[in-house]
Structure formats: structure tokens, C-alpha cells
Amino acid sequence: MSDKPQLQVIGGSDIRPQLTKTLEPLSAVSCHDYEQRFFIGCGIGKPHVAEARQAAEANATTIEKELIARRLIQPELYYRWLADELGLEYVDHINPDEVVRLTSTDVLLRRDGPLRLSRENGQVTVIVPEARRYEADKGRLRARHGLRRRLVVASPSTIRRAVWQSGAEQRVRQTTFSLDQDHREHSARQVLTGTQGFALAIIICLCIAAFAIWPFYAFTALHLVLTMFFSGGIILRLSALMMAVRCRKPEKDRPDNITPMPVYTLLIPLRDEAAMAPALVARIDALRWPKSLLDVKYICEDGDGTTIAALEAQNLGPECEIVRVPAFGPRTKPKALQYALQGARGSLIAIYDAEDKPAPGQLHEAWTAFREGDDQLGCLQAPLAIANVSSNWLSGLFALEYSGLFRVLIPFLAHTRMPIPLGGTSNHFRRTALEKVGGWDPYNVTEDADLGLRLYAHGYRTGIIKSATVEGSPVQLGVWVRQRTRWLKGWAQTWLVVMRRPATTFASLGLGGFVIFQLMIAGMLISALAHPLMFVFIALTLAWLASGGPAVVSAVHSVLMWTDFTNILGSYLTFGAIGWFGFTAYERRCLKRRWLLLTPAYWLLMSYAGWRALLQLINKAHLWEKTPHPADPSCKGGQPPANQQATEETGVAVATMTIANADARNGLPMERVKGIEPSS
């Protein structure tokens, strides 16, 4: 028999290994040297240990963490073995009722550490032993025999699970109410303040009186206000398009990074997404980031057993964790994100949705941008691209809209350092910035727009990256309307919250930021609500002119009528132009030209969704109408479909899917999504 200690931990063997020879560490040997000797002595292959050491030195971690992250060591078996060698009790489950709750207990959600338990026979401390401290721990236990009765061993995931469960009720209440209690002026829990309600009532009464007493002047004034918002939106889009035309340049190669990489937390809120679990886990697994520096949190509602079971069936890696959000308060995405944020271990945080297909290099590009930017760069927005451009006219125009927004308009706002209402996914944050502004508002159904404005008001700016996230557009009219209703309702919530103190908002945003805020939020709402009215104005003016009314009235309305024509035509043209400019050649081939003629119908649908949102704001302000996502056909049956073409064009590269070899972990096809990524 070999005189080296043997540890059979690869492959989940049922054998309970034992250390047969004690390694004596040398004081002059580094931690990595000692760890390397330790694990080679435990039977781990020298090439595996050498690779793990190289990764540990590059990532500023330990060989132990790298071996676990690479799945060369099964954590539960490994910590059970360490407990046996130290002569300590091992527990694979902790009763949350036994956890001693202290003000600092939730720190254990973010880092490994001891946890105190209160048992019938007294208190014990749960520890997570480490290989680099093995000899020191063993010596301490030999010197203090009574210490063994007060210590037990558990894996880090077992401790975190117990901490999540033990403080769930208090934590979810704090998550739900903290922003409303600490910064009530930023919370959408109350739709209208008393002052806003009084002002709105006065405005409505004055408008009714004005239309009753001076219908012509009231009609003209309303017309001018709507014209101002329509024209402002057109000018903003044209300015963005002009800058995009002038500034389109090839990406420069970035130098290799030598700075140690940080821990990156991915927050992925899910609800009723069991069908998406296989594809989602495969896509997240494809991201190019060291697993030892990745903290992936799949956030599910506590009662969503099907989604939780589907995730557990995917054989998640040690970097992954399922966070269960207790049933309390609004059932919204921002509440789930804010709850999971309390356990996030990374200094950088990214948000993804269930249907997202992020480019594999997206995290690396975002980290590089943060590293090269200043501390005021608090957020980065990755572009969102639509995969199913050719499904039908609704998805085609949706893709056109996304192209204009994420590849033309948002880059323009980022370049001019203006406030950016974020997209709901593929946002990357500095954790410090996110926590300073209070995180997400659980009551705002477009938490992205609200958070983007709060970041700007606190002195942070939002930048952009090129690596895209591909997702699908709704193809059913009902689904599209419900999604757009939620967006418009959330923008209305955001506008009402931000405008509670107009003077303070103006001071924090500045003149340019205030104007952009009004055009992007109020302008979008008013354009959606008033779009049919523009056609009504044109029809009434034509009827008035045909009736031979007074010349002065006819002249004024004639000017307004031609202004309406210009605004409507300009809105349609700029909508199509910035989207078409952002499209790749592949997307242009997918979009049927005749669908562009349905742009008026698309805008009228937005108007319908806008009026529906207004009604919901009155009686269902915090209702979250979830967008359903069908199961990805590429993940059925375990057989990869035929490869689909992925294209990369100058300036931007948006993809379709290229299906690569089956995922080695679970036999499911892996989707490699090439996005707006210089390294693709």
C-alpha cells in the first residue's frame, strides 16, 4: 500500500476515504505549495492539481476552490472526509430553527464563516475547514480536547441554505419595505402622493372648464403640447441617428488584462419557467468566466416547485444556488432581485432573464469596461437582439424597435452622458453603486427605467458594451399587449415617482437630463396615448376646412394639420430608420419589407396598450403581467438541431444561434450565441 494519503473524491464514490499519513507543513512553504502537496497526497492527479494551482494563482483563490469549481472534488464528500479526519461531527442539513440569529448572520450569505447553533445540550459552532489550515486546525483540536464537542462541520452550501431559511420572513419584509421606509420619495408603493392627487384634480377641472368655455383655445393648446412631445421625440431619434452614422467605427483590440478578476454575481429571476431551465443553465454555463469567481443565483418563488425541481434536475455546479423568495408582498421581478441581492457575493452584478442567450464573452467585456472606467461608471447596458425576426410582422417590428433602441438611441444617450432608462435584462452593475442608490423598487413594474434614473440622479452614469444578449419577441398579440401594458404602466409609475419633487429632480438631473427624461418617459407615454388623437385632429381639421368655417380658425388649424402630418410621418420614418440602421445584413434579409407598411398598426397597438396601462395604474398598479416563454426546441430530446447561420457585420454583430456539441454535464445541446462581441 502506498504511504501517501488517499482521497477518492472524484465521481461521487460511496467510499469513505481516510487519511493514512499526516502531512507536516513547512513554515517556509507557501499556501499554494502546501495545498499542492496536500491534494497530491490525497490522491488527486498531479496534472489536475497543477492546473488548479495555475488557476488559483491567476484568480487569487485557493487550489481547493479551483478543484471544487472544476468538479474534481465533490463538496459534500470532501467536507465529510475533512470532518472525519479532524474527528468532528459532519452535518448535511441544518435545522433553521437552531440558527442563532445575530445582526451579522446574513454576512454568511456572502462569504464563508462559522455559524452558531443553539441545541438542547448547548450551543455549537458550524465551521467550514480548509485544506490550507488543516494542520493548524488538527493541532488546535489535539491541544484542546473539549473543543470537539462544540464544533461541527458542514459545507458552505449547507450553511448558506440554513441562513436563507432562518431569516427568510424578516429578510423579505425588509426587502419589500426598506426603500419605502428609508426613501419614500423613490418608492412606487404609493401611486400618487396627496399633493400629486390634488394637483391632478385641479388640472382635470381646469381642462374641463377650458374645453367647456373656450373650446377652440383649449383644443389648440392641447394640440400644441402633443405636437411638442411628438416633435421632441423625432428630433431625439434623428440626433441619435446622425451620431451613429458619424461615429460608426471598427472595434479596437483591447490589451490582455493582467488584473485579478473579481467575483461576478448573476441574478436570474424565474417564475413558472420549468420549461426554460435546461436551455438557461446551458447558456449560463457557456459564459467565459472562471467558475471559482462566479456566483450564479437562480431566484424562484418559494411556491414555484416545478421551476425549482427543473433547476435541481440540471446538476447545477457549485457556483450555482437556488434562492427561494418567500410569498410576501408584490410578486414582482424587482422584489425577487432585491431579496437575492442580500446574498450576492460579487463586486460586479449582472441581471439575466429566463429566455436570454448572452454572448459568452459578455462578462469579460463588461469587467474590462468597468476596469477602464472611473468610479462614476455605475452600470453597463448590453444590447438586446431579437432572434425570431422572421416569425411574423409583430416580432419583425419588435426587432426593429429593439435595434433602434439598443444600437442607436441608448449609445447616443451614453455618449452624451444623459440618463438612460435601462433595459430589463443584461444590465451590469458595480455593487457599490447599486447599493448606494437603494437597489430595486419592489413596487415598480419597470424597475429598469426607475433604477437607471436613480443612478443618474446620484451621480453615476451608464455605459454600453457590444456583446449582445439574444432573446425572443412575443409572437402572439395578447402576449405582446400584456408585456407592453406592463412597460407603459411602469414608465407611468416612474414618471410619477420622479416628478414628486420637480425642483429636486431638475437639480439632480440637470437641464439636459431633465429634458431627456421628459422625452423618453413622458414622451413615450404621451405618444402612445395620443397617437389616435393625432388622426382625430387631422380628420376634424379636414372636416372644419370643408365646412367653410372662419378663415382665422382655418388658417391655424391648417398649420396644425400639416404639423400633425409631419409628426406622424416623421415618427414612422425615424422609427424605421434607426432600427434599419442598427440591423445587420442578416436581420435585414429576415425582415419582410411589406411588414414596414404595418408600422401605423404597430403604433396603434402601443396606444391600446397605453390606455390599458392607464386603467391598470388606477386599480392594479402593482400587477406584474408575466411574459410566458415557450420551451426551447433545441433542448428537447437531447439531440442538437442543425446548425443555424450566425452572422457578424461591421459595427454590430447580432446573432442567431449556433448549436455546438452537447453539454458534457447533462447531455443537452449547448447554445453558443455570438453577439455584439469584439472577440467573437
Side-chain angles (χ1 to χ4, degrees):
M1 178 182 293
S2 171
D3 61 350
K4 293 184 178 180
Q6 299 296 315
L7 176 60
Q8 301 293 331
V9 295
I10 302 176
S13 170
D14 291 333
I15 299 175
R16 297 278 300 277
Q18 295 183 356
L19 190 64
T20 58
K21 179 180 179 181
T22 300
L23 289 173
E24 297 295 339
L26 301 175
S27 58
V29 179
S30 70
C31 286
H32 285 159
D33 285 339
Y34 174 67
E35 277 193 294
Q36 187 170 14
R37 286 159 46 87
F38 179 89
F39 285 110
I40 290 175
C42 291
I44 307 295
K46 289 184 179 181
H48 292 311
V49 176
E51 290 176 1
R53 174 171 183 161
Q54 185 178 8
E57 292 173 347
N59 299 331
T61 59
T62 64
I63 296 177
E64 180 182 68
K65 289 185 181 296
E66 295 297 334
L67 288 171
I68 291 174
R70 292 161 181 253
R71 299 195 173 198
L72 294 171
I73 292 179
Q74 204 280 329
E76 298 297 331
L77 179 61
Y78 172 65
Y79 289 109
R80 182 185 295 275
W81 171 76
L82 278 178
D84 286 347
E85 289 300 316
L86 294 171
L88 298 175
E89 176 190 354
Y90 176 80
V91 294
D92 56 10
H93 172 74
I94 298 174
N95 184 347
D97 295 333
E98 294 180 350
V99 174
V100 177
R101 291 292 303 177
L102 304 173
T103 56
S104 60
T105 300
D106 276 2
V107 171
L108 298 179
L109 297 175
R110 300 183 178 184
R111 62 174 176 82
D112 297 340
L115 176 66
R116 294 174 63 186
L117 303 181
S118 178
R119 293 179 171 177
E120 292 181 357
N121 56 351
Q123 289 193 356
V124 298
T125 301
V126 187
I127 63 170
V128 180
E130 294 181 281
R132 58 182 175 173
R133 291 202 292 261
Y134 171 76
E135 289 298 335
D137 288 343
K138 201 161 188 176
R140 193 157 39 246
L141 289 169
R142 278 197 302 264
R144 301 174 61 185
H145 297 288
L147 198 58
R148 282 192 170 90
R149 295 193 301 271
R150 301 197 300 271
L151 295 177
V152 297
V153 173
S155 67
S157 62
T158 300
I159 292 178
R160 283 197 300 271
R161 187 161 54 247
V163 174
W164 277 118
Q165 293 172 346
S166 68
E169 183 177 352
Q170 177 185 355
R171 193 181 303 110
V172 74
R173 288 180 178 273
Q174 180 183 357
T175 295
T176 305
F177 298 128
S178 61
L179 185 65
D180 182 57
Q181 292 173 348
D182 299 339
H183 304 283
R184 180 160 295 181
E185 68 277 10
H186 297 317
S187 173
R189 184 183 179 193
Q190 184 181 12
V191 178
L192 281 174
T193 63
T195 302
Q196 286 179 316
F198 178 76
L200 180 62
I202 293 295
I203 291 172
I204 291 175
C205 291
L206 289 176
C207 288
I208 292 174
F211 275 98
I213 301 173
W214 306 289
F216 170 73
Y217 295 107
F219 180 83
T220 303
L222 175 62
H223 208 151
L224 289 173
V225 170
L226 296 180
T227 297
M228 179 180 65
F229 278 101
F230 270 91
S231 300
I234 293 171
I235 293 172
L236 177 62
R237 291 188 186 94
L238 286 175
S239 300
L241 182 60
M242 291 172 61
M243 193 202 77
V245 171
R246 290 199 312 268
C247 298
R248 174 170 278 190
K249 297 177 181 178
E251 283 291 316
K252 296 180 180 179
D253 293 334
R254 296 179 184 269
D256 292 336
N257 297 302
I258 57 175
T259 307
M261 302 167 80
V263 175
Y264 221 124
T265 292
L266 310 185
L267 300 181
I268 309 170
L270 305 170
R271 192 174 91 189
D272 300 329
E273 298 286 7
M276 296 297 297
L280 174 63
V281 172
R283 293 162 187 162
I284 296 302
D285 192 62
L287 290 171
R288 294 198 292 266
W289 196 262
K291 294 294 189 290
S292 60
L293 299 177
L294 203 55
D295 172 31
V296 182
K297 298 195 183 301
Y298 296 102
I299 314 166
C300 303
E301 293 187 352
D302 197 29
D304 190 4
T306 55
T307 302
I308 293 173
L311 287 169
E312 290 174 339
Q314 303 311 308
N315 188 24
L316 299 176
E319 75 279 5
C320 300
E321 180 179 19
I322 300 174
V323 177
R324 294 164 171 84
V325 182
F328 180 84
R331 299 177 65 192
T332 60
K333 173 182 172 181
K335 189 196 81 172
L337 291 171
Q338 189 69 2
Y339 183 84
L341 178 62
Q342 298 177 69
R345 300 197 294 276
S347 59
L348 299 180
I349 295 175
I351 313 302
Y352 291 115
D353 285 341
E355 78 277 20
D356 286 351
K357 309 178 184 80
Q362 191 176 110
L363 300 185
H364 198 280
E365 186 187 351
W367 168 59
T368 301
F370 278 126
R371 191 174 62 87
E372 295 178 352
D374 54 28
D375 291 340
Q376 277 63 53
L377 181 61
C379 176
L380 292 166
Q381 174 68 65
L384 305 181
I386 300 302
N388 57 331
V389 180
S390 58
S391 294
N392 61 17
W393 73 274
L394 200 60
S395 66
L397 293 183
F398 190 97
L400 192 72
E401 182 182 12
Y402 258 38
S403 172
L405 176 63
F406 287 101
R407 302 179 215 173
V408 179
L409 186 54
I410 285 181
F412 169 76
L413 296 176
H415 180 77
T416 55
R417 300 202 172 193
M418 290 289 105
I420 297 177
L422 300 174
T425 181
S426 302
N427 315 130
H428 300 255
F429 300 96
R430 291 189 196 271
R431 184 200 186 110
T432 52
L434 190 58
E435 291 180 335
K436 183 176 180 181
V437 303
W440 293 274
D441 180 2
Y443 289 94
N444 194 313
V445 296
T446 48
E447 76 295 336
D448 41 10
D450 166 68
L451 184 55
L453 290 166
R454 265 191 287 130
L455 284 167
Y456 188 85
H458 280 76
Y460 293 102
R461 61 186 176 86
T462 298
I464 59 169
I465 55 178
K466 295 294 185 181
S467 298
T469 294
V470 179
E471 59 182 26
S473 162
V475 295
Q476 297 176 340
L477 186 59
V479 174
W480 185 95
V481 168
R482 288 192 292 274
Q483 182 188 67
R484 192 57 58 109
T485 296
R486 174 167 54 83
W487 291 356
L488 291 169
K489 180 174 64 174
W491 289 336
Q493 285 180 318
T494 300
W495 189 87
L496 289 171
V497 167
V498 174
M499 290 301 291
R500 286 173 179 172
R501 298 178 179 177
T504 303
T505 298
F506 184 85
S508 60
L509 298 182
L511 175 60
F514 188 80
V515 171
I516 291 297
F517 161 69
Q518 298 298 343
L519 289 178
M520 290 290 292
I521 303 297
M524 176 62 71
L525 287 167
I526 291 174
S527 297
L529 294 172
H531 196 72
L533 295 180
M534 304 299 283
F535 290 104
V536 172
F537 288 156
I538 292 173
L540 289 177
T541 303
L542 290 174
W544 186 273
L545 292 173
S547 68
V552 63
V553 175
S554 299
V556 172
H557 279 79
S558 178
V559 172
L560 291 176
M561 182 189 69
W562 287 110
T563 303
D564 291 342
F565 271 125
T566 303
N567 280 332
I568 290 177
L569 185 61
S571 296
Y572 295 160
L573 291 177
T574 54
F575 172 85
I578 63 173
W580 190 261
F581 181 84
F583 264 176
T584 63
Y586 175 80
E587 290 171 304
R588 291 173 184 174
R589 291 193 299 270
C590 289
L591 184 71
K592 295 180 173 59
R593 304 296 190 274
R594 63 178 182 274
W595 290 348
L596 295 173
L597 300 177
L598 294 174
T599 300
Y602 192 80
W603 277 63
L604 289 173
L605 282 176
M606 282 195 280
S607 182
Y608 170 70
W611 286 101
R612 190 170 178 268
L614 195 61
L615 292 175
Q616 280 195 8
L617 190 65
I618 298 172
N619 55 17
K620 298 179 181 179
H622 306 123
L623 172 66
W624 185 281
E625 290 190 292
K626 183 184 176 299
T627 304
H629 304 118
D632 194 318
S634 66
C635 285
K636 292 181 179 179
Q639 295 298 325
N643 287 357
Q644 300 180 21
Q645 180 66 30
T647 58
E648 185 167 336
E649 305 294 337
T650 58
V652 293
V654 178
T656 56
M657 300 171 292
T658 300
I659 308 301
N661 292 330
D663 183 357
R665 291 196 299 107
N666 52 24
L668 290 172
M670 174 74 74
E671 295 188 11
R672 304 290 181 181
V673 182
K674 297 180 71 177
I676 302 176
E677 182 182 16
S679 59
S680 292

